[in-house]
Amino acid sequence: MKTYLVGGAVRDKLLGRTVTERDWVVVGSSPAQMVANGFIPVGQDFPVFLHPQTKEEYALARTERKTGRGYGGFSFYCGDEVTLEDDLIRRDLTINAMAEDDSGEIIDPYNGQQDLADKLLRHVSPAFAEDPVRILRIARFAARYYTLGFRVADETVALMQTMVANGEVDHLVAERIWKETERALGEPHPEIFIEVLRSCNALNRLFPEIDALFGVPQTAVHHPEIDTGIHTLMSLQQAVKLSTSTCVRFATLLHDLGKAKTPSNEWPRHIAHEDRSLPLVKQLCERIAAPKDYKDLALMVAQWHTHCHRALELKPTTVLKVLQSNDAFRRPERFEQFLLCCEADARGRTGFENRAYPQADFFRTALKTAQAVDIAAIQQGGFIGKDIGDEVNRQRLQNLLQLKNTASTPPQA
């Protein structure tokens, strides 16, 4: 029995990155022997064990055979004659198919170190094509390592295109799509995740609502980048700068879906794209099993972002409507997320990346101004039932009118 450090821990160690999680492969052992040595079995599909002290994962070296479509269509073999090289060749990328023994020596049968040096994300073997989740994973790795100069190898892109054409991605379950998407949104460049999926034609199959935005023109005076798909990715870049929240980044990614439904004879204007966006956001979120808080914020941003852009042009009654419709008084933290998405949208345009966005500060001030109304004093003043709410709204509108009179109109976004 011999153990090896494998996968991401070896890769990140060689890259000089912090190793946050370590996985191990055990060669020449059996489930019975692992249990006899105190390891705790946790694997459902194949033998994986937790170390009795460190609680790190130790998996028996295994081979696998494709038995059906999708992520779960595999059978595994974990006999004690399976070698380390047998185990490593079933992995996705060469940079993830390296191991380190207990003396610190790197075992690299598939040239992962060379691909690290060349900054290439390359599949280990044709078996890559047997697991459609790997398309999402490689797109996520591209989003993570983009700042280091990594790109997907041409032959790997070609293989991914073949997988899409063969219908493999059509068998991905919603939970796996969402899990990889959420993780990608947390990477430094989630827009690269979208670009890689688009390069292999998977975006059209997994996120057709986003794919449809590319090639749709916008008014050049407000959108010098013209293309709605490009604007969407630029907005996502800005969301990364403004927030670490994957919820904010997701809502920003979906904020303009309705523009793909604008009749071409109305281009480059997109009147009522907010309303057209709502059913598209709903169907995308349902299809990939996005959590409710993600869906709710995405719908909120899609419907109301243009109101935020016109903040200082709005009547006090409309400002109050925006606050109430978005539950800002009870959920100010979510309203703050909404404002960040709107700012990302406004800055996600060529030449506007560093422009101030006073509209968000106006709405922050408007919320505080409206919150300043003393509801308890109104209740103690003899108002009852519906009259309490009417008086609260009257005083809030009065406060907002005073705020309106002190504000100046910001540049249009």
Side-chain angles (χ1 to χ4, degrees):
M1 169 177 162
K2 192 167 184 178
T3 61
Y4 298 88
L5 183 67
V6 295
V10 179
R11 176 199 69 225
D12 286 345
K13 186 176 180 180
L14 292 173
L15 284 172
R17 293 167 59 94
T18 301
V19 175
T20 58
E21 186 175 314
R22 303 196 304 172
D23 293 311
W24 304 83
V25 159
V26 181
V27 176
S29 186
S30 66
Q33 186 178 354
M34 295 293 288
V35 172
N37 289 335
F39 286 81
I40 304 165
V42 293
Q44 296 180 349
D45 298 323
F46 48 83
V48 178
F49 304 83
L50 297 183
H51 191 281
Q53 279 79 48
T54 68
K55 304 306 179 185
E56 292 176 336
E57 286 193 358
Y58 285 67
L60 293 182
R62 66 184 187 270
T63 60
E64 60 188 32
R65 183 171 60 89
K66 185 73 170 173
T67 58
R69 289 279 197 173
Y71 172 73
F74 293 91
S75 63
F76 301 94
Y77 176 70
C78 303
D80 59 9
E81 74 275 18
V82 176
T83 67
L84 177 63
E85 289 74 14
D86 291 336
D87 182 272
L88 294 177
I89 199 172
R90 67 174 179 78
R91 295 173 183 266
D92 51 5
L93 300 174
T94 60
I95 64 171
N96 295 333
M98 297 179 286
E100 180 182 298
D101 65 17
D102 52 13
S103 67
E105 180 182 353
I106 301 297
I107 296 91
D108 181 18
Y110 307 109
N111 301 314
Q113 291 179 94
Q114 186 60 55
D115 282 344
L116 278 182
D118 294 339
K119 302 186 184 305
L120 282 177
L121 302 173
R122 188 197 309 275
H123 61 283
V124 178
S125 75
F128 178 97
E130 296 177 351
D131 186 356
V133 171
R134 289 175 169 177
I135 290 179
L136 292 165
R137 277 175 52 83
I138 201 168
R140 175 165 59 82
F141 279 122
R144 177 184 300 175
Y145 296 119
Y146 178 77
T147 53
L148 298 179
F150 278 78
R151 66 178 181 85
V152 183
D154 293 341
E155 60 267 37
T156 301
V157 173
L159 179 58
M160 292 160 65
Q161 290 172 340
T162 299
M163 293 170 65
V164 173
N166 290 342
E168 275 291 329
V169 295
D170 300 333
H171 296 274
L172 283 169
V173 298
E175 291 74 18
R176 292 301 308 228
I177 297 173
W178 172 249
K179 181 179 179 180
E180 292 296 330
T181 300
E182 184 181 27
R183 294 179 70 180
L185 288 169
E187 300 292 359
H189 283 276
E191 76 280 0
I192 301 300
F193 175 76
I194 300 298
E195 290 185 356
V196 170
L197 293 181
R198 186 165 179 251
S199 72
C200 69
N201 305 318
L203 189 65
N204 177 257
R205 306 292 273 272
L206 299 175
F207 302 100
E209 300 87 354
I210 298 172
D211 188 65
L213 295 173
F214 291 90
V216 175
Q218 301 169 109
T219 306
V221 65
H222 298 309
H223 287 276
E225 72 285 347
I226 305 294
D227 191 288
T228 304
I230 294 174
H231 161 64
T232 296
L233 298 190
M234 292 178 69
S235 298
L236 182 55
Q237 292 172 355
Q238 293 298 318
V240 171
K241 295 178 181 179
L242 292 168
S243 176
T244 60
S245 167
T246 52
C247 195
V248 167
R249 298 176 184 187
F250 181 70
T252 302
L253 179 62
L254 305 191
H255 79 281
D256 265 349
L257 294 185
K259 288 183 178 179
K261 293 295 186 180
T262 302
S264 59
N265 65 316
E266 296 181 13
W267 289 350
R269 301 182 69 194
H270 293 277
I271 297 172
H273 74 275
E274 302 90 346
D275 290 338
R276 292 190 181 106
S277 292
L278 300 183
L280 299 174
V281 171
K282 290 178 182 177
Q283 74 180 28
L284 186 153
C285 290
E286 291 169 4
R287 191 177 62 252
I288 67 171
K292 186 177 185 299
D293 55 336
Y294 283 78
K295 182 177 75 171
D296 289 349
L297 182 63
L299 288 169
M300 180 176 167
V301 175
Q303 183 172 6
W304 296 98
H305 66 278
T306 52
H307 279 74
C308 188
H309 296 335
R310 296 183 291 109
L312 293 185
E313 304 168 23
L314 301 179
K315 298 177 182 179
T317 52
T318 307
V319 173
L320 183 58
K321 178 183 177 181
V322 172
L323 295 174
Q324 291 175 330
S325 297
N326 292 296
D327 208 10
F329 296 106
R330 292 195 310 162
R331 301 190 61 182
E333 72 292 337
R334 189 181 67 173
F335 190 71
E336 175 61 26
Q337 290 182 318
F338 163 77
L339 295 178
L340 292 174
C341 294
C342 295
E343 184 170 355
D345 174 31
R347 290 184 173 179
R349 302 176 290 160
T350 301
F352 291 77
E353 293 88 349
N354 298 310
R355 179 171 292 193
Y357 188 67
Q359 295 95 321
D361 285 334
F362 173 84
F363 259 114
R364 291 183 182 104
T365 303
L367 178 57
K368 291 180 180 178
T369 299
Q371 286 174 325
V373 171
D374 190 341
I375 298 176
I378 292 174
Q379 292 172 327
Q380 294 171 4
F383 291 91
I384 58 174
K386 180 177 178 296
D387 292 340
I388 296 175
D390 291 342
E391 179 62 16
V392 169
N393 284 338
R394 187 192 69 79
Q395 292 190 25
R396 284 175 172 171
L397 284 173
Q398 185 177 12
N399 289 357
L400 291 172
L401 179 60
Q402 293 174 355
L403 174 64
K404 170 74 173 178
N405 290 335
T406 63
S408 59
T409 303
Q412 186 177 0

